[in-house]
Amino acid sequence: MVYEEKMITNGEPDEVPTSTRVTDPLETVREKCEQTEHCVHTRERLEACESRVGSRSNTTEDCTEELFDFLHARDHCVSQKVFGSLK
């Protein structure tokens, strides 16, 4: 039984050194796209909605539309840029 436990944990490192980590190009492109003017505008609308909804104790409003608008704007930008970074 002890041998089996060592086999399971022996092959997986606890922490990957920073020098060998591979960054996901999708995450990098998403971060860049979130800085574009259109994404900044839709994020501001989302944050305004979240603060408005959060300040009320009893409301039926949610920020689904604003969230989808932000995600759509970001993903539209990402779709144009991500394929250039793939091999």
Side-chain angles (χ1 to χ4, degrees):
M1 183 71 176
V2 174
Y3 179 73
E4 291 177 15
E5 289 177 12
K6 286 184 180 180
M7 285 181 51
I8 291 172
T9 59
N10 196 18
E12 299 175 13
D14 292 333
E15 189 174 316
V16 178
T18 335
S19 61
T20 60
R21 287 190 183 160
V22 177
T23 59
D24 185 4
L26 181 60
E27 293 298 320
T28 305
V29 173
R30 279 184 179 163
E31 290 173 3
K32 289 180 183 177
C33 283
E34 287 179 7
Q35 304 303 317
T36 63
E37 182 180 350
H38 187 64
C39 288
V40 168
H41 175 70
T42 56
R43 180 179 283 276
E44 288 172 354
R45 286 184 55 222
L46 174 62
E47 290 172 352
C49 178
E50 288 175 341
S51 65
R52 185 176 60 247
V53 169
S55 68
R56 298 180 182 160
S57 60
N58 189 12
T59 183
T60 59
E61 181 183 14
D62 60 7
C63 300
T64 304
E65 181 180 352
E66 289 82 357
L67 175 63
F68 285 161
D69 288 344
F70 170 70
L71 293 175
H72 176 75
R74 186 189 67 186
D75 289 345
H76 179 74
C77 173
V78 168
S79 69
Q80 296 175 352
K81 297 180 180 183
V82 75
F83 292 107
S85 63
L86 297 177
K87 290 183 179 182

